[in-house]
Amino acid sequence: MGTFPRKQFVAAIGASALLAACNAPKNDQAQISSAEPAGVGNAPPAGGNADAIIKARGLNPGDVDAALRTFVPPGKHDDYVMFASGGHSGQVVVFGLPSMRLLKVIPVFTPDSYVGWGYDFESKATLHDGDFKDATITHGDTHHPALSETDGDYDGRFLFINDKVNARVAVVDLARFETKQIVKNPLMINTHGLAVTPNTEYVIETAQYAAPLGWGYAPLNAANFREKYRGLATYWKFDKNKGVLDPQKSFSIELPPFFQDLTDAGKLDSDGWSFTNSFNSELAYPDNWDGGLPPEASMSQNAYDWMHVINWKAAEAFVRSGRASTFNGMALISIAQAAQNGILYLLSEAKSPHGVDVTPDGKFLAVSGKLDPYVQIYSIAKIKTAAARSDLKKGPYGIRVLPLTETRIAQIPIGLGPLHTQFDDQGFGYTSLFLDSAVAKWKIGDESGKGWEMVDKTSLQYNTGHLAAPHGDTVKPRGKYIVGLNKWSIDRFTPVGPLFPRNLQLVDVTSPKMGVIFDAPVGNAEPHYAQIIDASLLKPMSVFPVGFTPHSNGIDPNAPKAGKEGVRIDGDTVYVSMTQARSHFTPDVVHAKAGQKIIWRLTNTESTKNAMHGFAIAGYNVSLTIEPGKSEHFEFIADKPGVFPYYCTDFCSALHLEMMGYLLVAER
Ligand code: K7E
Ligand code: CUA
């Protein structure tokens, strides 16, 4: 093009459509309302004939009913948004309800070359914050998403998610739908449960497989397992203003080496308490190798396991009084301290428990044991009354035991393999049945133990894990739907090879009889748990102010600015200050010499909604998607001489293919 001005070039080729596509007006978001997008394809087909379609497609009236309940017309938005864990993909997957449309995948513990997560300097640093000792971990096993709460209800501001395998917790900022922070638990190797307190004072992370605290070593034998292996509950303090977990103000409670599992926080009447179940009251460990039982047999011999009942407000006061010790930089309350100061109690629960869920009024606990066909109901008022008694018997590790007979008020027979419970707005609980592959609906009764009964049951396919309901674990459940997060899909979908999709099933609960109304295959790892929020509570940004960096959640003073771009060489470092906008990079050529370090800053200067641009370069492992306004930076050593095209990876305009440039790395 030589010196031919770009504007004249566009005019010269003369296609007004092309021009419009290349230089779309900066204010086009004003022309497109978010609720009613303009454009073609939004009108229903003319002359639709429902009867003919029903006949031609072989549908029955139930199919049509289900279709109408889930159908969200093109261009219309869903009422609810579901955040599902991405299992061992290390991600969070976002769906709209009731359409079950996939809206977004948020990378958390795993690098992602679409979003550019783990490729730019800032997100790499966030991933490094989750390092284990010196090892950078690039996978995660996400289990339990937990939305931030205000007054016991989701507030739409943050999402927390844990990594079971590496005991990490991440904060996703819902202003950006982007991971903001990752913390590694300094005491535990792995964890499982995650829950928030009603005003997000704390994010509670509980252990799974016992190990020496502080990532230590102790040979595996009965004595060591009893004395040196430990469980844990960590209360991560959340700083709501900064939107980050504050390890300095967080604390942990040492627990016996029972394998802690799910946790729920008390609310309303039971605020200040948390409940963590566990399996392996046997204190068994894997010794099949040495002639003993395999772990699954040795860990399920006892008829009962132990629930940990924790008064976290008492624990917080204990830490503030300065009596806790510190281990690996975190305040730690020992088992003895917790047992002697009204912080920790044990309570029997049916064997191999999984779910522990507090009812919306904060008055009752629903506990399910996988090997027990009941939902066990406990009164939290009775738990608190029992905890205040001075004559409680001591159980394992000197921890006082709350009497089962005084606290458990009902047992609802529901079927095989009960796991997890959610609630609706009509006074019902819904519990998944893993072995029955079903969901059971039961009525919430009263304190005297009356009125707790199953009212309905419907089959799901297959092996349901968690259930999710709109605001289903808050003080204000919204009802309407239950989503079954199923493990297997077996015969539900067109075959796609031996790795089958998981199947999420949407269940309508507005009628007395529940029914499956939609199957949503997920081509991703097992989505263990999900939370569903009223979409109107989410207020994400749609464009960033130009120069925005997530690192400081504000304008980066070093962000490249339009008109001020350039390449500066200082010693052996090349500083690139680059902008991108439809349909060019400025500058479009970067020179370096082999071995020089390149510090490359890139701002997308667009302010138009959705006008993202990609950036990828051959040979140097960089891939980014930069949203309008955002500034990112990455660094590498230009150790390979050669000619390296870089280009925009997002088809952003009619001249997208031309949106490219060269990095020229000369031999020394
Ligand atoms: Cu049941 Cu990790 Cu909640 Cu899986 S967990 S199902
Ligand atoms: Cu920018 Cu394609």
Side-chain angles (χ1 to χ4, degrees), residues 50 71 80 121 129 148 272 360 401 411 474 536 610 642:
F71 182 66
Y80 294 96
F121 190 84
D129 288 339
S148 59
V401 176
Q411 301 189 74
T474 72
S536 69
N610 220 346

Side-chain angles (χ1 to χ4, degrees), residues 87-108:
H88 51 288
S89 75
Q91 303 160 328
V92 167
V93 188
V94 185
F95 297 86
L97 257 71
S99 73
M100 300 299 280
R101 293 182 294 204
L102 173 66
L103 300 177
K104 190 156 202 164
V105 176
I106 306 172
V108 182

Side-chain angles (χ1 to χ4, degrees), residues 580-583 612-614 648-653 656-657 659:
Q580 52 178 186
R582 281 164 286 172
S583 302
M612 70 265 210
H613 295 284
C648 172
T649 41
D650 227 284
F651 209 112
C652 53
S653 72
H656 152 79
L657 292 178
M659 189 169 174

Side-chain angles (χ1 to χ4, degrees), residues 143-144 192 262 354 419-420 465-466 487 526 528:
H143 273 242
H144 298 111
H192 191 212
L262 274 281
H354 200 35
L419 297 188
H420 300 290
H466 278 267
K487 309 297 186 191
E526 183 179 338
H528 290 262

Side-chain angles (χ1 to χ4, degrees), residues 68 284 321 403 433 437 569:
L68 291 176
S321 75
L433 294 161
S437 299
I569 299 176

